Amino acid sequence: MIKRRDFLHQGAMGATALLLAQKIGWAAAANSTAADSRIEVLFDEPLGTISPTIYGHFTENLGGVLYDGVWVGENSPVPNIDGLRKSLIEHMRQIKAPVIRYPGGCFADTYDWRDGIGPADKRPRRTNFWANSESKDAPPDHSFDPNQVGTNEFVHFCKLIGAEPYLAANVRTLPASAFQQWVEYCNSPAGSTTLADARAAAGYPDAFGVKYWGVGNESWGCGGEFTPQEYAEQFRRYATWLPAYGDTLHLIASGPNTDDWNWTRGFLTEVLLKGPEELNSIYGLALHHYAWDMSRGKTTDWVAAKGDALKFDSVDWYELLRQGDRMEGLVTGHWQVMSEFDPEHRVKLVVDEWGPWYRPGSEATPGDLFEQTPTLRDAVFSGMTLDIFNRNPEKVAMANCAQLINCLNSLYLAHEDKFIVTPVGHVFDLYASHQGGQSLRTIFSAPTLNYDRDGSPATFWGLRGSASVRDKSLTITVVNPSVSEPRLAEIALRGATVSDASMRFLSDADIHAHNTFAQPDAVVPQTKLLSVSGGTLAIEFPPASVAAVSIQLS
Ligand code: AHR
C-alpha cells in the first residue's frame, strides 16, 4: 500500500443518463416559482477582512509548471515578456493575483537558489527532485533543471503581475546560512553587500523586498521526514536573527498534512519550550490538504484510491466535494489546537497547497507530470474552498491553489503557443472582488441533498457560499452542488438595501464540461442581470454551479 507520505518520500449513474437527469431536473424546477432556499446576509456581524492573499498561487519547478507553463524563453515565438509567457501574465493581472509561492513543494528542499542566479548561460543543470517520477514523454528540462528560471526571473514575473513573491527555503539539504544569504540576496539594498551587488549586476538594483518566506515544505515527509519536535528545532535555527533590512519578514512554518493534529501540537509545544516570545517569529503555519481519496472507504492507498479527472459519475462528484469540504473542519480544528498554545492567535493559518488530485490520464500535454484537466466539478470544488477561506478571515491569512498552470488544480493549461483558462481559472476571476472585503456572516438555508453511496444513504449540503462588502458593493458567492436541481433563493440583507444586482456564474448541462486547446471556451462565465422589485431579490442558481452575485447597495 502506498501512502502519500511514502510516495513523496520516494521522491518521486453513466454519463448519458446523468446528463439526461440533469436536463430534466433543471427544466422541471425552472418552471417553479416558489423559493426553496434563503440567503441571509448579516451586516451587523462582520467576521474580519478577507486577506487578498488567500487568493494566492503556487508554481513549483515540477513537470510543465515552470518550463512551458510560466517560462517560454526570450527567443521563443510564443509571445513573452523577458521570457515569461505573456498571456499568463495578462490573465493573472486580471484576477488580481496577490501572491505566488515558488519553487516548491518537495522541489524546494533540494533547491540551491545560488544555481539560479548570474548569467543564464553559466548556470548549472541539476537533476530535478521529480526526475524519478517523470515519464519518457516528458521533455528533458522537466527532469534536468536548466536553471533558466531563478530568483530574478521569478520575482520579475511576480512584479509584472503585481503579486508578492513567496519563497520556500530548503531546510532538508542546505544549511541555515544559505537561507540567510538568500534573504540577503533578495532584500539587501544595492551597494550594501556582495550579494546585493550581484543582484544589481543582473539588472535588479532595487531590493526585491521579499516578505513571505517558507521554512521548508512538508517537513513531515519529502521535506526531511522530521518529527514535529525535530522540525521545531530546525525552525528556530532558521528563524533566529534573520536580517530583515527594514522589512518585516513573514516566516511560514511547515505545518500539518490534513488532520495531523499531532504535528500542530508537537511543533508548537517544542517551539514554546523557549518561551512565548518564540511565537513572534512565526507568521503562519502551513496546512496542506488535497482531495485525492475517491475510493469510498475501500482503500487508503495513495495510488489506488485516486479517481479520474474526466470520467466520473454523480456519486464521484459528491465524494470529491465531500473531501474538499473537510477544509472547514481542518481550519477550525487546527485553529483550536493552535489556541491552546497561542490564545492571542499571533500565528495564522497559511493553506499553501490545496486542490483535487486525480490519477494520471487527463493531461492536456502528454508527459506533463501531475497535469490534469479541470472540469466544472473542480470549479465548484474551488468555489466551495474559497468560500471556506472567506468565512474564516481571522484564521486564514494566505492560501495557494496547487498549482497555477499545467499541474493539479490548474487555473491555466499551456503548451508551446497554446494557452487556455480552465473552469478553475474562471472561478478565481468570479471571486476576485472578495479580496480585501469585509466578510459578513451569512446564513444559507436549502434542502439537503441525498444520494446513494454504494447502497448506503449519504447527504451533502444544499447551498453554501460567502459574502463580503466593500463601500457600497456587496459580493455573494454561491455554490449549488446538486448535479440536477436548481435552487431558487430569496436574498435577505439584514442591515442594507439592494439597489442593483447582477450575477456571473459557471454551469453546464454536462457536469464533465471542461476547456481544451481545441475548445477553449466550452466553460466560460455567463452573465445575468437580476431584477430587484421592492428591494427584494430572488435568484435561481443552476444545478452544478458556482456564482458571484454583485449587489449595489443604496
Ligand atoms: O503539489 C505537488 C506536491 O504535493 C508538492 O510538491 C508537495 O508539497 C505536495 O505533497
Side-chain angles (χ1 to χ4, degrees):
M1 173 179 292
I2 303 182
K3 293 196 182 313
R4 174 158 174 257
R5 95 182 259 151
D6 296 342
F7 168 82
L8 293 167
H9 175 72
Q10 288 157 20
M13 207 189 326
T16 315
L18 179 65
L19 188 59
L20 193 63
Q22 267 188 274
K23 283 184 169 151
I24 292 166
W26 167 238
N31 290 332
S32 121
T33 49
D36 60 4
S37 306
R38 192 174 178 79
I39 299 173
E40 289 182 71
V41 185
L42 308 180
F43 280 77
D44 59 355
E45 294 197 42
L47 300 173
T49 302
I50 296 173
S51 168
T53 49
I54 69 165
Y55 288 85
H57 307 285
F58 175 31
T59 51
E60 178 164 7
N61 189 348
L62 186 175
V65 177
L66 284 191
Y67 297 105
D68 201 20
V70 172
W71 179 258
V72 294
E74 285 141 331
N75 301 321
S76 169
V78 180
N80 68 82
I81 305 176
D82 304 324
L84 300 155
R85 188 181 284 276
K86 191 163 180 260
S87 46
L88 176 63
I89 292 166
E90 287 167 353
H91 278 268
M92 291 185 74
R93 283 180 184 153
Q94 189 183 321
I95 61 168
K96 303 188 176 69
V99 64
I100 312 171
R101 179 176 183 241
Y102 159 91
C106 294
F107 175 86
D109 277 291
T110 53
Y111 180 60
D112 188 335
W113 67 272
R114 294 166 294 201
D115 291 343
I117 61 166
D121 59 351
K122 300 271 179 335
R123 296 182 191 175
R125 282 170 294 135
R126 304 279 188 211
T127 308
N128 189 301
F129 170 87
W130 294 105
N132 288 345
S133 306
E134 288 287 354
S135 78
K136 294 188 303 302
D137 298 335
D141 57 8
H142 292 192
S143 293
F144 303 105
D145 180 7
N147 275 303
Q148 297 304 288
V149 179
T151 305
N152 301 337
E153 292 75 19
F154 175 72
V155 174
H156 187 45
F157 175 58
C158 292
K159 305 245 169 200
L160 286 169
I161 292 162
E164 295 267 1
Y166 165 17
L167 300 178
N170 180 343
V171 170
R172 179 162 71 84
T173 61
L174 285 183
S177 57
F179 175 39
Q180 298 222 355
Q181 285 167 13
W182 199 8
V183 174
E184 185 176 295
Y185 178 80
C186 290
N187 292 356
S188 61
S192 65
T193 67
T194 303
L195 287 172
D197 290 348
R199 188 194 64 232
Y204 301 93
D206 294 338
F208 290 151
V210 178
K211 186 160 77 170
Y212 299 110
W213 294 87
V215 180
N217 166 75
E218 297 196 348
S219 301
W220 41 263
C222 63
E225 291 288 343
F226 294 111
T227 65
Q229 292 76 19
E230 289 166 345
Y231 172 69
E233 286 175 24
Q234 296 294 328
F235 182 87
R236 274 203 302 262
R237 286 188 333 104
Y238 277 70
T240 302
W241 284 101
L242 274 176
Y245 306 104
D247 298 306
T248 310
L249 298 183
H250 288 36
L251 298 189
I252 295 157
S254 176
N257 182 27
T258 301
D259 57 358
D260 187 356
W261 318 115
N262 286 338
W263 180 273
T264 302
R265 189 169 276 119
F267 170 72
L268 290 171
T269 304
E270 184 70 27
V271 161
L272 283 166
L273 288 180
K274 285 287 291 173
E277 64 284 351
E278 291 298 315
L279 292 174
N280 295 334
S281 62
I282 314 171
Y283 170 72
L285 186 64
L287 163 67
H288 289 183
H289 175 57
Y290 286 99
W292 58 273
D293 184 353
M294 297 296 291
S295 76
R296 304 178 199 165
K298 295 184 194 77
T299 176
T300 53
D301 185 278
W302 171 249
V303 173
K306 294 234 179 64
D308 198 281
L310 296 175
K311 298 185 204 97
F312 55 86
D313 61 20
S314 58
V315 179
D316 295 326
W317 166 284
Y318 292 126
E319 290 292 307
L320 183 86
L321 297 183
R322 179 186 294 285
Q323 286 261 317
D325 198 41
R326 292 182 68 194
M327 184 63 84
E328 187 124 36
L330 297 174
V331 165
T332 52
H334 286 292
W335 191 251
Q336 175 59 35
V337 175
M338 289 157 76
S339 65
E340 293 167 20
F341 303 89
D342 177 20
E344 290 165 18
H345 284 299
R346 276 176 281 180
V347 181
K348 307 294 181 201
L349 278 165
V350 169
V351 188
D352 61 16
E353 290 186 30
W354 66 266
W357 194 328
Y358 304 108
R359 68 169 78 105
S362 71
E363 298 81 357
T365 305
D368 274 3
L369 184 64
F370 304 154
E371 184 171 295
Q372 53 198 34
T373 297
T375 66
L376 182 61
R377 176 172 62 160
D378 304 300
V380 168
F381 178 105
S382 300
M384 175 186 77
T385 305
L386 294 168
D387 284 326
I388 292 171
F389 300 150
N390 288 341
R391 292 198 295 264
N392 291 279
E394 79 292 12
K395 305 182 186 81
V396 185
M398 188 199 290
N400 308 76
C401 180
Q403 299 197 9
L404 177 71
I405 184 166
N406 293 347
C407 187
L408 302 175
N409 202 37
S410 311
L411 283 79
Y412 310 103
L413 294 171
H415 179 51
E416 297 171 347
D417 61 346
K418 298 190 276 287
F419 176 86
I420 60 167
V421 183
T422 73
V424 175
H426 289 306
V427 170
F428 274 80
D429 189 21
L430 293 182
Y431 276 56
S433 60
H434 276 306
Q435 293 187 25
Q438 177 62 240
S439 180
L440 300 172
R441 193 161 86 82
T442 303
I443 302 169
F444 291 78
S445 319
T448 298
L449 303 178
N450 298 291
Y451 67 99
D452 183 302
R453 188 181 194 252
D454 301 332
S456 303
T459 59
F460 198 72
W461 46 260
L463 204 67
R464 273 194 193 162
S466 61
S468 70
V469 65
R470 200 171 7 184
D471 304 324
K472 291 276 179 199
S473 299
L474 175 71
T475 301
I476 312 177
T477 44
V478 182
V479 166
N480 177 3
S482 170
V483 295
S484 55
E485 301 296 324
R487 295 266 90 92
L488 183 58
E490 285 177 0
I491 313 294
L493 306 188
R494 305 287 181 227
T497 312
V498 187
S499 130
D500 256 324
S502 63
M503 169 167 104
R504 292 173 72 219
F505 65 99
L506 288 181
S507 187
D508 198 279
D510 181 2
I511 58 173
H512 310 90
H514 57 274
N515 297 334
T516 62
F517 292 141
Q519 285 194 297
D521 296 328
V523 186
V524 291
Q526 303 170 56
T527 302
K528 197 169 165 183
L529 290 176
L530 302 168
S531 66
V532 180
S533 75
T536 64
L537 188 58
I539 307 176
E540 187 164 76
F541 296 100
S545 67
V546 50
V549 180
S550 303
I551 296 179
Q552 285 310 309
L553 306 170
S554 48

